[in-house]
Amino acid sequence: LAKTTQPISMDSYEGQEVNITCSHNNIATNDYITWYQQFPSQGPRFIIQGYKTKVTNEVASLFIPADRKSSTLSLPRVSLSDTAVYYCLVPEGYSTLTFGKGTMLLVSP
Amino acid sequence: DVKVTQSSRYLVKRTGEKVFLECVQDMDHENMFWYRQDPGLGLRLIYFSYDVKMKEKGDIPEGYSVSREKKERFSLILESASTNQTSMYLCASSLRTDNYGYTFGSGTRLTVV
């Protein structure tokens, strides 16, 4: 079973780029890596997913090295509203996602 | 805009009561899930369902049951509520073929007194 490890918390300031790295040493060949964002008192929200190299959308970029044992979520020029918990996930079994404790990102003025 | 709607935002129930948490999705998704979220423990999967009248146990099914009589509705049932079931409950849905794109509801914060 693929298990993910990510920092418990990170601090940043407005306007900075934030990189959150996640390790998934036992990722299976066919597994994608998915990141979710959760604001207080809301359900998690899908941000981005990728399989290898680099994926970019309007919210974030996802960098995955060739061995796929880790991935880095990059948030460009964060604002206060990016303060949230960020989850890195790799599916375990058919159609189930296991959410760990995530990374609490605090953005300060 | 696609939605997962949970019937109650806040709920207070007494110990021993039977509690129903309702979840409805309008995206024609086959898969539906119930998680609970507690401080320091992250989200934990209680039950999930691949199709109508089908259900599978997640990581922490004890004390819970579910019902899926219609594709769009997935109910979580606390047979006899206890104080350790005080938690935030989150419902999610996804397409059968999509292991990654979960849509979550806003959650129900249940307090058992």
Side-chain angles (χ1 to χ4, degrees):
Chain A
L1 298 175
K3 180 180 177 180
T4 60
T5 303
Q6 54 185 121
I8 293 175
S9 65
M10 294 183 69
D11 295 321
S12 183
Y13 293 97
E14 281 189 294
Q16 290 188 335
E17 178 184 76
V18 172
N19 296 307
I20 306 174
T21 297
C22 175
S23 66
H24 25 79
N25 292 318
N26 298 320
I27 189 170
T29 304
N30 296 327
D31 283 342
Y32 279 68
I33 300 137
T34 310
W35 286 79
Y36 279 74
Q37 175 192 56
Q38 185 179 24
F39 298 113
S41 299
Q42 293 186 25
R45 179 177 74 106
F46 173 91
I47 302 177
I48 197 168
Q49 75 178 50
Y51 183 78
K52 61 180 179 180
T53 61
K54 178 183 175 182
V55 179
T56 297
N57 62 21
E58 65 278 6
V59 177
S61 294
L62 181 60
F63 298 91
I64 305 167
D67 66 6
R68 303 197 334 115
K69 294 184 182 297
S70 66
S71 59
T72 299
L73 176 74
S74 181
L75 305 171
R77 296 181 299 281
V78 293
S79 64
L80 297 177
S81 63
D82 291 315
T83 291
V85 178
Y86 293 83
Y87 297 94
C88 164
L89 300 109
V90 176
E92 297 187 19
Y94 173 70
S95 291
T96 63
L97 287 177
T98 298
F99 288 76
K101 298 179 183 179
T103 297
M104 174 66 218
L105 172 64
L106 176 62
V107 180
S108 300
Chain B
D1 196 17
V2 294
K3 274 187 177 177
V4 174
T5 303
Q6 295 184 230
S7 55
S8 303
R9 192 84 175 95
Y10 298 95
L11 212 51
V12 179
K13 295 292 182 180
R14 295 192 180 278
T15 302
E17 275 193 80
K18 190 169 186 176
V19 181
F20 293 85
L21 302 183
E22 306 288 346
C23 175
V24 176
Q25 50 95 3
D26 64 0
M27 297 164 285
D28 203 33
H29 284 174
E30 293 87 2
N31 303 330
M32 295 189 75
F33 310 84
W34 275 105
Y35 288 85
R36 65 177 282 179
Q37 184 170 30
D38 301 287
L41 296 177
L43 282 84
R44 294 179 291 169
L45 181 63
I46 305 172
Y47 266 98
F48 58 103
S49 169
Y50 297 138
D51 205 344
V52 176
K53 296 192 185 296
M54 292 183 67
K55 60 184 180 183
E56 298 285 343
K57 292 181 179 179
D59 299 321
I60 51 164
E62 297 78 20
Y64 303 95
S65 62
V66 290
S67 172
R68 188 143 182 226
E69 297 296 318
K70 293 185 178 181
K71 189 176 185 180
E72 67 271 18
R73 186 181 297 272
F74 192 36
S75 302
L76 180 68
I77 304 159
L78 285 66
E79 297 292 341
S80 178
S82 64
T83 55
N84 63 13
Q85 293 179 308
T86 292
S87 185
M88 169 69 88
Y89 290 87
L90 290 158
C91 175
S93 71
S94 73
L95 288 169
R96 184 189 306 283
T97 55
D98 188 353
N99 257 11
Y100 316 98
Y102 284 22
T103 301
F104 279 85
S106 296
T108 295
R109 185 164 294 281
L110 172 67
T111 301
V112 182
V113 296

